[in-house]
Amino acid sequence: MEKFKWMYLLVLVSGLILGGCSSENDIIDNIDKEPDIDNTDKKPDIDFSKLTWTKRTISSQIEAGSNTDINTRGASEIGWNGNPSGVLPTNNINYYINVYDGEKVENFGLELTHENNDIIYYTSFGEDSSGNPLVFIKTDPNLPNGYENVLWFEVGEKQDDIPSERLFFFTTVNMAGKDIDDSIILLKRTGEVGETDIYYGGNGYREYGDKLFTTEGLYFVKNSEYSEDNKKIDLYYKESRTGDSMLADENKIKMRRLTGVITIYTIVIDHYEGEVPINIEGIDGTSSGDAITKTNTALQAAFTNLTQKPEDFFSSEELAANDNALSNFIANQFDKGYSINDYFIRKKVLENYPVEYNFLKGEVNRQGTKGFLYLCNLDFPAWMDEISSFHWGSTSENQIIHGISSSCDNYPFLPVGNGLILNQNNPLIIFMGMSKPNTEGVTYNPPSHLLQVKITPKDRMEIKPNISHNMYVVFTIKDLVQMLVKAQMNDAVGTPRTRSALEEPVLELPSNRLIFK
């Protein structure tokens, strides 16, 4: 049975737990069996009129999570380092039972029905012409009897036996007739979902939402206490990580979420001393308003220092390039009339993210198509007007960063399979800009510019399913100055867009600015 150990059956499911106890219905003694009219499929002879159907349900719950509805995603649903919520809406989602025969998904699958919040199907037990126990699954007991309405399964003699190499599993897409090569999910491009992607021309991919789950191959075996007086059938499944046969819980089959969560925060400090981040003085433990004031004080001092000593912010090569263009710009054209809450973040993207997933194996296709995956596909800017803090070290109580920050307006669920490693091939790109308030001082002028900030991870970062991860991007005051200079010098501030995002100026930050928790 080694070939079944790879069976990580992926389900685009809105969270499932198999409901209902293992049935203790007697196996029907079918004495009036009719010949099988379709012997090519090796279907057993059975008299359906003698079957008694038992109602079962699948509820929209999954393993772990807080069991709150996910209609919009916010901090209250995820929480700090918490698990993604455990329930998804069942509206507008179809559910199917499909069968895998060891090589492909069989041509026939059952579409399940809904009753309130439950997904309904029915089971019954019978015997073939040789007296071997069988299990039948049907969507509605009132449907006409016949093989066009049921799936059947032989009953094994022991846990490690998968009779006739037939397993059943739940999906939200009818996979009937598909083999392994046809079982690829490709994430949607932004341009395919009614968005205007001004950043990558429609070549960016969306995070998938929270609908990727695995279930195990399910099959039936005789109970160890099976006798004429106790005709009981137990439901087993192949544990996806080990391939071991596991007795299903009396009331549920555990589902495994294949999505992880990354929440990205930016945070502003004063500077680094070696690898140690140094906070802006007096900002720890203060209010966001006071933190903005202290950050602006440091920022304005840096703007003044820029005009007096530009070599503190740019190399001599940069300052002298193109006939001293940068030096002349800083001395004669630089506009320092910006505050920290005039900075905004628009999009956050992971580069070279795998966007193909194998439906049957439940695995990320790391060798397949890769692209720009949006982490926070914001429709509006996220202004840097919040305050955040986190403990970046492991020992000292002083190893805490405090600073003005911004965060995503959603908490993206990322397809990760059983775990996904990010490394130097997956830099994080943040699209940033600066915009002053309008003349009334109430709202901001429309952000018509972008600046790419790129950070390449130094170490491997593993995203795990069903876990919320935090990623911090640390900006120093010097970084903010360089951003503003690059944006202004490239006519990026307050001017109509005349180029694509790929032509925007890029500021590359050292890898130690990316902290993964």
Side-chain angles (χ1 to χ4, degrees):
M1 293 300 158
E2 286 295 320
K3 64 180 177 180
F4 291 100
K5 291 189 177 181
W6 62 267
M7 283 291 297
Y8 297 62
L9 297 170
L10 178 73
V11 180
L12 288 179
V13 96
S14 129
L16 304 176
I17 292 180
L18 181 65
C21 301
S22 300
S23 176
E24 297 184 9
N25 287 6
D26 286 346
I27 299 174
I28 304 300
D29 180 15
N30 291 289
I31 59 175
D32 297 323
K33 300 176 179 63
E34 298 177 356
D36 180 10
I37 62 174
D38 187 6
N39 196 43
T40 57
D41 286 340
K42 299 181 180 179
K43 294 176 180 176
D45 299 329
I46 190 70
D47 181 0
F48 287 104
S49 67
K50 298 196 175 202
L51 296 181
T52 300
W53 297 99
T54 300
K55 183 177 180 180
R56 292 179 180 268
T57 65
I58 304 170
S59 65
S60 56
Q61 296 182 357
I62 64 161
E63 184 180 5
S66 59
N67 292 331
T68 59
D69 291 338
I70 298 179
N71 293 314
T72 58
R73 299 191 294 259
S76 62
E77 296 170 336
I78 304 300
W80 291 89
N81 296 314
N83 288 326
S85 299
V87 171
L88 288 135
T90 57
N91 294 338
N92 302 317
I93 298 176
N94 296 323
Y95 293 87
Y96 301 88
I97 295 179
N98 286 131
V99 183
Y100 179 74
D101 67 5
E103 295 181 356
K104 66 180 186 306
V105 180
E106 293 184 354
N107 289 325
F108 178 54
L110 297 179
E111 182 174 354
L112 305 183
T113 58
H114 293 233
E115 287 185 11
N116 299 322
N117 292 322
D118 290 328
I119 302 138
I120 307 300
Y121 70 104
Y122 295 81
T123 61
S124 190
F125 302 103
E127 294 178 347
D128 64 14
S129 58
S130 300
N132 298 314
L134 301 172
V135 177
F136 298 88
I137 297 177
K138 195 174 186 179
T139 57
D140 184 346
N142 298 315
L143 288 172
N145 291 314
Y147 283 115
E148 69 275 9
N149 296 315
V150 302
L151 297 173
W152 65 273
F153 302 90
E154 294 182 37
V155 176
E157 296 291 338
K158 57 184 179 179
Q159 295 180 21
D160 292 332
D161 180 26
I162 303 177
S164 298
E165 300 183 349
R166 298 178 84 245
L167 304 161
F168 70 94
F169 57 98
F170 301 101
T171 70
T172 55
V173 175
N174 192 355
M175 295 295 295
K178 293 186 177 296
D179 59 26
I180 295 175
D181 294 333
D182 293 328
S183 304
I184 299 298
I185 304 165
L186 184 64
L187 302 190
K188 290 183 178 180
R189 294 180 185 271
T190 54
E192 295 175 351
V193 289
E195 292 182 344
T196 301
D197 182 11
I198 63 175
Y199 302 93
Y200 288 111
N203 291 325
Y205 291 85
R206 292 175 61 89
E207 46 99 0
Y208 206 86
D210 198 22
K211 299 177 183 178
L212 293 179
F213 298 84
T214 58
T215 184
E216 321 301 338
L218 306 177
Y219 59 97
F220 298 92
V221 299
K222 291 182 180 180
N223 186 273
S224 59
E225 299 177 357
Y226 177 83
S227 68
E228 289 300 317
D229 296 327
N230 181 22
K231 297 179 178 179
K232 184 178 179 181
I233 304 299
D234 285 331
L235 182 61
Y236 280 82
Y237 66 95
K238 283 286 185 181
E239 209 285 327
S240 65
R241 292 175 185 251
T242 65
D244 296 333
S245 299
M246 309 289 289
L247 178 63
D249 187 281
E250 188 175 6
N251 297 305
K252 64 185 178 182
I253 296 296
K254 290 183 178 180
M255 305 298 296
R256 180 172 292 108
R257 190 191 305 263
L258 293 183
T259 51
V261 183
I262 294 181
T263 303
I264 298 184
Y265 297 88
T266 60
I267 190 165
V268 178
I269 64 169
D270 193 84
H271 66 284
Y272 271 83
E273 292 182 359
E275 294 294 316
V276 179
I278 305 300
N279 293 324
I280 295 171
E281 185 176 356
I283 207 171
D284 55 309
T286 188
S287 66
S288 59
D290 191 40
I292 288 175
T293 299
K294 287 181 168 58
T295 303
N296 280 331
T297 299
L299 190 59
Q300 289 301 318
F303 288 156
T304 300
N305 187 36
L306 170 70
T307 58
Q308 296 173 352
K309 296 181 64 178
E311 61 272 16
D312 287 351
F313 297 86
F314 296 96
S315 67
S316 57
E317 291 79 10
E318 290 175 300
L319 293 169
N322 300 316
D323 196 23
N324 297 310
L326 178 57
S327 297
N328 293 332
F329 178 83
I330 292 172
N332 302 308
Q333 295 176 267
F334 178 66
D335 178 6
K336 61 181 182 179
Y338 285 82
S339 63
I340 183 59
N341 45 320
D342 296 334
Y343 285 72
F344 66 86
I345 287 87
R346 187 64 179 271
K347 303 279 184 181
K348 301 173 184 178
V349 175
L350 278 175
E351 190 173 349
N352 296 322
Y353 197 93
V355 295
E356 290 184 8
Y357 299 83
N358 190 294
F359 208 118
L360 289 178
K361 292 185 178 181
E363 295 177 347
V364 176
N365 186 356
R366 291 174 173 83
Q367 306 304 317
T369 302
K370 296 180 175 62
F372 298 102
L373 184 73
Y374 286 109
L375 296 182
C376 294
N377 210 25
L378 303 182
D379 291 326
F380 301 99
W383 300 97
M384 295 187 66
D385 55 7
E386 308 171 17
I387 187 168
S388 293
S389 61
F390 73 96
H391 189 252
W392 62 272
S394 58
T395 55
S396 172
E397 293 183 359
N398 295 324
Q399 294 175 326
I400 299 177
I401 293 180
H402 302 274
I404 292 298
S405 71
S406 69
S407 63
C408 304
D409 69 346
N410 64 358
Y411 288 68
F413 290 81
L414 307 178
V416 296
N418 286 322
L420 185 66
I421 300 295
L422 301 180
N423 54 30
Q424 290 87 348
N425 296 317
N426 308 111
L428 173 68
I429 300 172
I430 299 178
F431 291 97
M432 294 197 63
M434 290 68 71
S435 185
K436 293 181 180 180
N438 60 19
T439 54
E440 288 78 19
V442 178
T443 60
Y444 279 79
N445 292 315
S448 58
H449 59 283
L450 291 172
L451 176 83
Q452 288 191 55
V453 177
K454 187 174 183 178
I455 315 103
T456 300
K458 178 181 180 181
D459 301 314
R460 288 157 48 99
M461 300 181 296
E462 182 179 7
I463 309 174
K464 298 179 180 180
N466 212 30
I467 297 295
S468 178
H469 304 276
N470 292 326
M471 187 180 287
Y472 295 86
V473 178
V474 183
F475 294 144
T476 65
I477 292 295
K478 180 178 178 179
D479 297 332
L480 297 178
V481 172
Q482 290 181 336
M483 284 183 209
L484 188 59
V485 171
K486 282 180 175 287
Q488 291 185 21
M489 189 174 178
N490 286 274
D491 295 325
V493 177
T495 60
R497 173 174 298 282
T498 58
R499 56 181 177 265
S500 71
L502 296 178
E503 298 174 303
E504 298 290 350
V506 178
L507 175 65
E508 293 203 29
L509 298 182
S511 59
N512 66 348
R513 305 298 179 81
L514 189 61
I515 301 175
F516 189 73
K517 292 289 187 179

